[in-house]
Amino acid sequence: GTLVSLLGIGEYLGFVPHWIPSTGRPSSTFGFRNLAAFYLVANLPLAGLLFLTSRRPFDRWLGALSAAFMFVFLLYTRTRGSWVGLFAATLLNFGLWALFARKTLLESIKTAFDRPALIVTACSVLLVGALGPLPEGFREHHTQRFDDKKADISSAVASIFKKGGDRDRFVMWWQTLEMIRDHPLLGVGLGNWEYAYPLYDDGQMVRPEHSPLRPHNDLLWIWSETGPLGLLAYLTLLSTCLLLAVRIWRRASDPHDHLAALACSITAFAVVGAGCFSFPWERIPPSMLFWLALAVLGILARNPEVSSAPIYRSMRQTRPVVLLIPPLLLTGLGITVRHIGFDYYYVRTAVAFLKKDSPAIVQEAARAIPFGPFNHQIF
């Protein structure tokens, strides 16, 4: 997180050369600033966790400065949906902790913030205050540059509440609800939103040079493609995450477990919150950190203080699951390897298309298709 953020901060201030590929700066190694923001909101709480639970001075400074640099880079991306997602996730978790286990909240904060921690916190806040308001030191001229609504931090925040600040997301959301109404049981099928959407567009979003690929709202996306059962499964997963966090806050005796549950739950719901305005589920880094956070919550919840269920089960109960894991992993690995092979030739096909090199287009596409039709545009 620190390395990614330092690179993005240098890019924003004009210290990093433009040879780093990007379609919307500052993006560090992610190619576009929104994609960097997805990663930052998922990783920032985990950096804060290192600061809150460490007693070694080096680890404290590393965690605090990592979180500070990531926060500055997040401000520089001007990604309002990710800002709202992180803020809402933090507010939700602190609110639930105060509501259901206020005593452990106060005890954990007292344990974490001794005098050295307060000094580190003050330095990190000063760093954010000094770097955050700085203007960008780069200029770009393509369509993904900052517009007037994102000229600075205050303008970006104010644009959330102004007319047109949604960038036509409300149009796509309303038309996606019409799609859901017409397919109430099973949805339009996994991956089929982009094919069904033009029927509902009424000429508002589909243009000769652009057609939306997703509704910029993961809840509506899941609901429209998989129906109410898919949405219910997703909401059940999120509810379980919150339930585990609350149970840890109420029952665990170790303040570090409380703070770990807080950080992991904020990470999970920051990704969910950003997904209400964009599409972090399409990206590997935020998805990986989401599942990592859920795994940690599950491990913490298996503490005998927290869980009344037995931790160990008989071999007769666990053998079918253990036998099922290797073929599932091998199948997933096989699909991933084929997808990587497809992507390699698909990118070469796209480059040939931009160069208007027709023989190369045909040649590279013919190499990509045997790996599987992972992207319909290859045809």
Side-chain angles (χ1 to χ4, degrees), residues 63-337:
L65 291 178
S66 295
F69 284 129
M70 281 191 271
F71 191 78
V72 170
F73 184 25
L74 181 62
L75 293 177
Y76 287 170
T77 64
R78 305 283 197 272
T79 308
R80 299 166 302 168
S82 294
W83 292 357
V84 172
L86 180 60
F87 176 77
T90 304
L91 195 64
L92 170 68
N93 281 279
F94 272 106
L96 287 175
W97 195 353
L99 181 64
F100 291 105
R102 185 181 308 167
K103 182 179 178 181
T104 62
L105 172 59
L106 297 175
E107 290 174 352
S108 298
I109 291 177
K110 289 179 181 178
T111 302
F113 284 97
D114 53 14
R115 186 170 181 175
L118 291 175
I119 294 173
V120 175
T121 302
C123 293
S124 300
V125 171
L126 288 174
L127 179 66
V128 172
L131 295 178
L134 295 178
E136 67 267 25
F138 69 96
R139 289 290 181 269
E140 287 195 300
H141 305 285
H142 55 70
T143 57
Q144 299 288 3
R145 63 187 183 275
F146 288 138
D147 57 21
D148 294 338
K149 296 176 182 175
K150 297 183 177 181
D152 51 40
I153 296 173
S154 58
S155 300
V157 173
S159 67
I160 297 174
F161 308 99
K162 289 182 179 178
K163 184 178 180 181
D166 64 294
R167 296 183 182 272
D168 295 323
R169 283 176 173 82
F170 291 156
V171 172
M172 289 192 291
W173 295 353
W174 181 256
Q175 290 160 341
T176 301
L177 287 172
E178 293 181 354
M179 188 189 302
I180 291 169
R181 179 198 63 194
D182 292 343
H183 303 82
L185 297 179
L186 299 177
V188 296
L190 195 61
N192 286 343
W193 184 92
E194 62 177 296
Y195 306 116
Y197 178 76
L199 298 173
Y200 298 88
D201 181 67
D202 297 328
Q204 298 187 67
M205 296 294 294
V206 176
R207 304 181 182 96
E209 72 281 1
H210 171 71
S211 180
L213 302 179
R214 78 286 288 179
H216 284 251
N217 186 303
D218 283 337
L219 290 172
L220 291 178
W221 200 2
I222 292 169
W223 192 3
S224 64
E225 291 192 344
T226 62
L229 289 178
L231 179 65
L232 180 63
Y234 182 56
L235 294 178
T236 301
L237 177 70
L238 301 184
S239 301
T240 302
C241 173
L242 282 179
L243 181 64
L244 293 178
V246 170
R247 188 179 295 170
I248 293 165
W249 295 330
R250 295 185 66 178
R251 299 182 181 178
S253 59
D254 188 349
H256 286 187
D257 287 356
H258 301 159
L259 295 170
L262 175 69
C264 290
S265 187
I266 291 177
T267 284
F269 280 90
V271 175
V272 173
C276 291
F277 307 95
S278 203
F279 42 91
W281 278 117
E282 276 197 350
R283 307 297 160 181
I284 292 172
S287 299
M288 179 190 72
L289 292 174
F290 173 90
W291 293 111
L292 173 65
L294 254 64
V296 173
L297 280 171
I299 292 169
L300 293 174
R302 289 170 65 88
N303 187 319
E305 290 181 328
V306 177
S307 176
S308 56
I311 294 178
Y312 300 102
R313 302 185 183 278
S314 68
M315 182 61 72
R316 181 177 298 177
Q317 291 175 296
T318 59
R319 184 182 288 117
V321 177
V322 171
L323 294 176
L324 190 61
I325 289 174
L328 281 174
L329 289 176
L330 288 173
T331 302
L333 182 63
I335 294 172
T336 303
V337 169

Side-chain angles (χ1 to χ4, degrees), residues 335-352 359-379:
I335 294 172
T336 303
V337 169
R338 293 176 68 88
H339 204 159
I340 291 172
F342 172 89
D343 280 347
Y344 176 78
Y345 291 109
Y346 175 74
V347 170
R348 294 170 66 93
T349 307
V351 171
I361 294 173
V362 174
Q363 180 180 1
E364 300 299 340
R367 292 173 174 173
I369 290 172
F371 286 96
F374 289 100
N375 190 319
H376 67 280
Q377 296 180 88
I378 195 66
F379 294 105

